[in-house]
Amino acid sequence: MKAYKNIIVPTDGSVNSKRALEHAIVLASSLGASITLVYVANIVSVISNFDQIPNASGYVTEQVALDMEEEGKGVLDDFAKEVPEGIDVKTVFEVGSPGPAVLSVAKKYKADLIVMGSRGLGPLKGLFMGSVSSYVVTHSGCPVLIVK
């Protein structure tokens, strides 16, 4: 049987990402694996929704980036608290396109498995939609468990 040592769990705070974490916890506790929680801020996607706002000073862009980072780190902290003692947990905040960013983190941290929700909160609040899970499944170098 394949030994899973590091499980990557992308999250956006959605119910499906919480379910994915629950599955990852069960696997990590029975296999002695660690969990790496990942939040990806897709700032370009969000900022494109503000294209009608004059942005001479860059204030809108800067403020959106700060707000997204604060929200992302808050989600990561909340999810990390759900992981029982005895399971090693790391948190990673990334900026970029969600699918490629998740795969980059998986490669960097030598993931043996990615456990993720099938859909997230949508393009404004969350970052993981069906297209992201599909992208990860298609391009991942390790097994992917999709949780509904």
Side-chain angles (χ1 to χ4, degrees):
M1 181 176 168
K2 173 85 171 140
Y4 297 115
K5 297 293 180 199
N6 187 19
I7 301 170
I8 301 292
V9 182
T11 184
D12 61 1
S14 68
V15 172
N16 280 345
S17 64
K18 189 159 214 136
R19 284 189 194 118
L21 177 60
E22 291 167 358
H23 284 267
I25 288 169
V26 169
L27 289 168
S29 20
S30 49
L31 300 171
S34 65
I35 293 175
T36 302
L37 298 168
V38 182
Y39 185 101
V40 181
N42 190 349
I43 293 171
V44 172
S45 173
V46 173
I47 289 173
S48 69
N49 293 310
F50 294 101
D51 63 355
Q52 301 302 314
I53 298 173
N55 190 13
S57 69
Y59 174 77
V60 171
T61 304
E62 191 175 316
Q63 191 58 48
V64 167
L66 290 171
D67 291 348
M68 288 182 77
E69 182 174 0
E70 183 179 334
E71 179 181 349
K73 289 183 176 179
V75 169
L76 287 169
D77 288 345
D78 290 345
F79 273 58
K81 290 174 187 169
E82 299 292 320
V83 178
E85 283 188 38
I87 298 176
D88 182 40
V89 63
K90 297 177 203 64
T91 61
V92 178
F93 176 85
E94 290 286 326
V95 175
S97 180
V102 167
L103 294 178
S104 175
V105 170
K107 185 176 182 180
K108 179 179 178 180
Y109 288 89
K110 297 178 173 70
D112 301 300
L113 178 67
I114 299 171
V115 180
M116 66 187 296
S118 60
R119 293 203 169 268
L121 293 170
L124 288 177
K125 283 282 288 174
L127 305 168
F128 295 96
M129 301 182 300
S131 61
V132 176
S133 56
S134 177
Y135 181 90
V136 170
V137 166
T138 303
H139 295 93
S140 178
C142 68
V144 180
L145 172 63
I146 302 296
V147 178
K148 288 177 82 174

